[in-house]
Amino acid sequence: MNDRTDGPIRTRREGGILEVTLDRPKANAIDLATSRIMGEVFKEFRDDETLRVAILTGAGEKFFCPGWDLKAAAEGDEVDGDYGVGGFGGLQELPHLYKPVIAAVNGICCGGGFELALSCDLILAADQATFALPEIRSGTVADAATLRLPKRIPYHVAMDLLLTGRWFDAEEAQRWGLLKEIVPQAQLMTKAWELARHLESGPPLVFAAIKEIVREAEDMRFQDALNRITKRQFATVDRLYGSEDLHEGQRAFTEKRDPVWKGR
């Protein structure tokens, strides 16, 4: 996977880590064309076995992403148009993405941008970051957030945010469990890369199994989901339980040494 150095999406890879930066002045809003590019980027990340972790952030210090580009919509982009292989922002509907994705929220994160952050597995936020779901003010529904948010935070808090569209800061977001950590703006990407390197050193097949189980079991009965795990009926679990990494982890534990993960 080659780095993208220009255009609305820039990428940089280092070892098994891919940094993806949304860069559409002035506000990093996403139009249909940008969404399709993001889908291709995250599809390549998913399919490249040498990549282990992705970081998603926004260019500049003011905006992470405000979501849908209303100017582009006014000029002809249809709200039900072709967002690309991963749905809006390349992440929300991308199938079989079983690698960790970190959101490094550097500023304003609202509407579809907030939904994009919710599509990631871990969220770090700069101390100046702010959040909102203001869709009600434009007479529409925050579709992905309406589905996800009540499952992530208390129901009445989620409904408050959805029904009022009010803004809230990083401290409140952390209080409700949405953030892993709040960091000073100048340290955000350093912290994101530290976390990414920690995950890069972890067991990729275990991470894949965790992500598939969480995603697929969301609407299943506990016992049905547990049976699918123990009977190796999840593809990632079956691969893990027949892998070299499983035996390496067991040997490393008994030998009291760090395991060497090969992803096979």
Side-chain angles (χ1 to χ4, degrees):
M1 184 176 182
N2 296 323
D3 288 350
R4 293 173 177 262
T5 57
D6 55 16
I9 303 299
R10 293 186 282 105
T11 63
R12 176 171 73 93
R13 66 174 296 171
E14 182 180 306
I17 301 169
L18 178 70
E19 180 182 281
V20 180
T21 303
L22 177 57
D23 187 5
R24 287 195 75 230
K26 299 180 180 178
N28 295 333
I30 298 174
D31 62 0
L32 289 177
T34 301
S35 183
R36 289 193 289 268
I37 294 170
M38 294 177 76
E40 290 304 318
V41 166
F42 283 109
K43 179 177 179 292
E44 289 182 40
F45 164 69
R46 180 195 68 188
D47 296 341
D48 187 336
E49 293 190 356
T50 66
L51 287 171
R52 300 284 181 85
V53 187
I55 302 169
L56 173 63
T57 193
E61 296 185 353
K62 186 174 182 180
F63 290 96
F64 172 73
C65 177
W68 179 237
D69 187 339
L70 295 179
K71 182 178 179 181
E75 294 173 353
D77 268 12
E78 298 290 341
V79 69
D80 58 351
D82 179 11
Y83 291 104
V85 64
F88 181 80
L91 277 176
Q92 289 188 160
E93 302 172 56
L94 185 63
H96 311 303
L97 178 55
Y98 299 142
K99 300 176 181 180
V101 181
I102 301 165
V105 177
N106 53 302
I108 292 171
C109 177
C110 63
F114 187 18
E115 293 176 325
L116 192 57
L118 289 174
S119 298
C120 298
D121 302 296
L122 297 165
I123 305 175
L124 302 181
D127 48 10
Q128 68 182 33
T130 54
F131 304 83
L133 293 166
E135 280 84 348
I136 61 161
R137 297 172 190 168
S138 58
T140 188
V141 173
D143 47 14
T146 302
L147 295 171
R148 284 197 169 105
L149 204 57
K151 297 178 180 179
R152 307 283 180 85
I153 64 178
Y155 172 84
H156 293 99
V157 177
M159 294 304 289
D160 171 32
L161 301 179
L162 289 163
L163 294 174
T164 68
R166 69 176 177 85
W167 287 89
F168 58 105
D169 60 18
E171 288 187 3
E172 182 175 355
Q174 187 175 45
R175 187 161 71 246
W176 300 125
L178 290 169
L179 307 181
K180 172 177 169 54
E181 187 176 357
I182 302 172
V183 298
Q185 174 74 36
Q187 298 176 21
L188 178 64
M189 295 312 296
T190 298
K191 287 287 188 178
W193 273 85
E194 287 177 359
L195 177 58
R197 290 189 182 99
H198 174 73
L199 294 175
E200 181 191 20
S201 69
L205 298 185
V206 176
F207 290 164
I210 290 170
K211 287 201 65 172
E212 184 181 23
I213 290 168
V214 168
R215 179 178 294 182
E216 296 299 320
E218 189 171 32
D219 296 317
M220 297 175 64
R221 293 175 58 251
F222 173 83
Q223 194 61 52
D224 292 340
L226 187 60
N227 289 342
R228 286 194 63 186
I229 296 171
T230 58
K231 295 178 181 178
R232 297 172 59 162
Q233 292 175 344
F234 289 111
T236 55
V237 174
D238 184 55
R239 184 183 180 194
L240 170 65
Y241 286 173
S243 70
E244 293 179 30
D245 277 3
L246 178 68
H247 299 296
E248 167 62 10
Q250 294 168 341
R251 285 195 300 269
F253 181 81
T254 58
E255 294 169 8
K256 298 181 180 179
R257 60 174 175 83
D258 291 333
V260 178
W261 308 116
K262 298 180 179 178
R264 62 175 187 265

